[in-house]
């Protein structure tokens, strides 16, 4: 019984859920920018704006990459360990998963479904990084 390979469709990336992730990521990045500028002498100067957008971009790109790593199953050992630990302390005292392989098989469908969820977050981070670089170029030209 061989599974047929599903063809890639652009609609897996461009859908309503990913648009919502992108908009929420942009709002979170701008929120990080505002918090950074409020912490930094309560001024929205050009240099503080550049730094704030850069920090927001780094956070969003980092979250996107971390989601990629988690979705690949890198931290499955930790998840299985805690899941089995908490299920052993329950009334029946049986383990929830026999091992990592059983856990990975149980999560395989969900991971395929969420395969492209990190693209909008990383793209929002790249967009904020471009804004930070443009602000930096404007700041450099204003010094000359």
């Amino acid at each position: 019984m061989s599974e047929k390979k599903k063809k890639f469709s652009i609609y897996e990336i461009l859908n309503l859920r990913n648009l919502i992730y992108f908009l929420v990521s942009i709002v979170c990045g701008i929120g990080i920018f505002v918090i950074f500028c409020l912490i930094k002498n309560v001024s929205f100067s050009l240099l503080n704006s550049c730094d704030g957008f850069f920090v927001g971009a780094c956070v969003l790109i980092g979250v996107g990459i971390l989601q990629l790593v988690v979705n690949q199953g890198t931290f499955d050992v930790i998840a299985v360990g805690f899941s089995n630990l908490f299920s052993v302390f329950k009334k029946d005292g049986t383990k929830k998963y026999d091992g990592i392989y059983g856990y990975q098989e149980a999560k395989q469908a969900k991971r395929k479904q969420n395969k492209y969820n990190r693209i909008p977050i990383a793209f929002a981070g790249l967009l904020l990084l471009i804004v930070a670089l443009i602000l930096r170029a404007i700041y450099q030209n204003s010094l000359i």
Side-chain angles (χ1 to χ4, degrees):
M1 289 187 246
S2 65
E3 290 184 24
K4 287 187 174 181
K5 281 222 166 206
K6 186 178 170 186
K7 289 186 178 181
F8 174 75
S9 173
I10 193 71
Y11 297 110
E12 293 177 14
I13 297 174
L14 301 175
N15 55 31
L16 182 63
R17 182 175 56 185
N18 285 349
L19 177 66
I20 292 171
Y21 283 156
F22 176 74
L23 294 175
V24 168
S25 299
I26 289 288
V27 168
C28 289
I30 291 173
I32 291 170
F33 154 71
V34 169
I35 291 171
F36 181 84
C37 287
L38 290 177
I39 290 173
K40 204 72 161 154
N41 302 329
V42 193
S43 72
F44 289 89
S45 67
L46 194 58
L47 185 60
N48 282 345
S49 297
C50 172
D51 292 343
F53 277 116
F54 185 76
V55 169
C58 288
V59 168
L60 289 179
I61 292 171
V63 166
I65 291 173
L66 186 62
Q67 279 188 348
L68 173 69
V69 169
V70 168
N71 196 43
Q72 295 299 320
T74 305
F75 300 113
D76 284 350
V77 174
I78 298 168
V80 169
F82 277 111
S83 178
N84 285 341
L85 178 70
F86 292 134
S87 63
V88 166
F89 285 122
K90 289 184 180 176
K91 210 175 216 182
D92 57 358
T94 60
K95 289 184 178 180
K96 190 173 183 178
Y97 300 104
D98 289 334
I100 297 172
Y101 182 74
Y103 179 80
Q104 287 176 339
E105 289 296 316
K107 296 293 182 179
Q108 186 176 14
K110 185 177 180 184
R111 287 183 177 157
K112 282 185 180 179
Q113 179 185 8
N114 295 334
K115 190 184 335 184
Y116 299 110
N117 284 354
R118 75 216 36 87
I119 290 176
I121 299 170
F123 186 70
L126 287 174
L127 190 67
L128 290 179
L129 183 64
I130 290 170
V131 170
L133 291 174
I134 290 171
L135 289 176
R136 181 67 178 177
I138 292 170
Y139 179 74
Q140 286 290 338
N141 287 337
S142 68
L143 291 179
I144 297 176

